[in-house]
Amino acid sequence: MEVASYLRTATDLARLAGNIMDRNLYERSDDCRWWALNSEIRAILSQTSVNDEAQNRLETLLAGINALYTVYTRLFVFDRAGRVLAASNLHADNIALQGETLSEAWIQAVLACRHTAQYVVSPFEPTHLYGGYPSYIYAAAVRAVANEDETVGGIGIVFDAGPEFQRMLDGCLPASAGAYALYVEQGSRRIIAASSNSQHKIGEHVSVDDAFLNLLPGQSHAALTTYCGQYCIAAAVASSGYREYKTTGDYVNPVISL
């Protein structure tokens, strides 16, 4: 009976961790699409050429937004060639993007977006936009003022994945000593986040039984198992999305909360 109670609790907390992640990242997908509609950004990118004054105005706009939305390390605006026109820098690091031409596949996917409901998410992988660490970058196309069918560039937002994901997982831990939590990319088995008390590193592969990972959205599995040389209670829940995020087929990225 006591073991069954632990298994239920672990499953409930794993589901909570997944729901928190889905709801949080849903807001990221909303943010990039909302800011892509900003009238000043659209007007500046619609110009034939962007002068220093316009670039400074973009910098001011992005810095103002970033000061309020601190879950991002930076926001950046790029033209239809992928060249960064302006970027914020919340933590005043040494990453200077202005003038750089981005050639990642997801940049081209943004420029190919055809309506304002669309957005693009980069793979969770190391990127110089996040100081060489892995993160998700959410981006949306910016439309011309005079013609909404014309894409004139895009806006990208760099999610501060390290501390943000760690806080989500820390907040879902039970009081049991030694308990820890992970977010695991389902297909690759890579760890994309770990609670602060975990000994695992981002990018490591988990070696749990397949039953913990071969789950459909919303499904769960809990059991007594051996993991990393220890006999333990483990529970896993597959992310199921939130509202239209990860539920309509436009963006697929299954994550297991473990």
Side-chain angles (χ1 to χ4, degrees), residues 26 32 39 58 63 86 88 106-107 122 134 136 141-142 154 166 183 186 195 209 214 216 240 250-252:
Y26 161 77
C32 67
S39 57
L58 283 175
S88 62
W106 56 266
I107 289 284
S122 74
Y136 294 116
V142 175
Q166 188 176 87
Y183 285 137
Q186 188 176 35
S195 56
D209 188 272
N214 294 342
L216 295 174
S240 56
D250 58 341
Y251 173 52
V252 179

Side-chain angles (χ1 to χ4, degrees), residues 2-8 10 212 222-225 230-235:
E2 186 175 3
V3 170
S5 176
Y6 279 126
L7 291 171
R8 283 194 300 271
F212 290 99
L224 286 167
T225 188
Q230 291 185 311
Y231 199 52
C232 61
I233 284 173

Side-chain angles (χ1 to χ4, degrees), residues 50-57 98:
V50 179
N51 58 28
D52 290 344
E53 181 181 354
Q55 285 185 321
N56 290 336
R57 178 56 186 157
Q98 187 170 326

Side-chain angles (χ1 to χ4, degrees), residues 147-232:
N147 179 9
E148 292 225 348
D149 292 330
E150 181 185 359
T151 298
V152 291
I155 183 168
I157 52 183
V158 182
F159 182 58
D160 197 3
E164 294 299 324
F165 281 155
Q166 188 176 87
R167 276 193 282 268
M168 293 179 205
L169 292 171
D170 284 351
C172 295
L173 291 177
S176 308
Y180 62 92
L182 308 170
Y183 285 137
V184 180
E185 199 172 54
Q186 188 176 35
S188 68
R189 290 176 168 255
R190 289 185 310 152
I191 295 170
I192 63 173
S195 56
S196 56
N197 61 343
S198 168
Q199 299 302 309
H200 292 288
K201 293 187 178 0
I202 309 306
E204 285 183 9
H205 291 74
V206 295
S207 55
V208 292
D209 188 272
D210 288 347
F212 290 99
L213 296 176
N214 294 342
L215 302 171
L216 295 174
Q219 285 187 335
S220 64
H221 177 72
L224 286 167
T225 188
T226 302
Y227 183 64
C228 292
Q230 291 185 311
Y231 199 52
C232 61

Side-chain angles (χ1 to χ4, degrees), residues 24 26-43 45 58 61-78 88 116 118-119 138-143 153-159:
N24 187 292
Y26 161 77
E27 293 181 7
R28 313 295 64 95
S29 71
D30 263 5
D31 285 347
C32 67
R33 287 177 287 180
W34 176 247
W35 294 325
L37 300 175
N38 181 280
S39 57
E40 283 195 82
I41 294 175
R42 290 179 65 193
L45 288 183
L58 283 175
L61 281 170
L62 297 179
I65 295 171
N66 208 168
L68 297 173
Y69 291 80
T70 56
V71 296
Y72 306 115
T73 60
R74 73 194 76 251
L75 289 75
F76 58 97
V77 168
F78 53 94
S88 62
T116 56
Q118 291 179 295
Y119 64 95
Y138 285 73
V142 175
R143 308 283 169 194
I155 183 168
I157 52 183
V158 182
F159 182 58

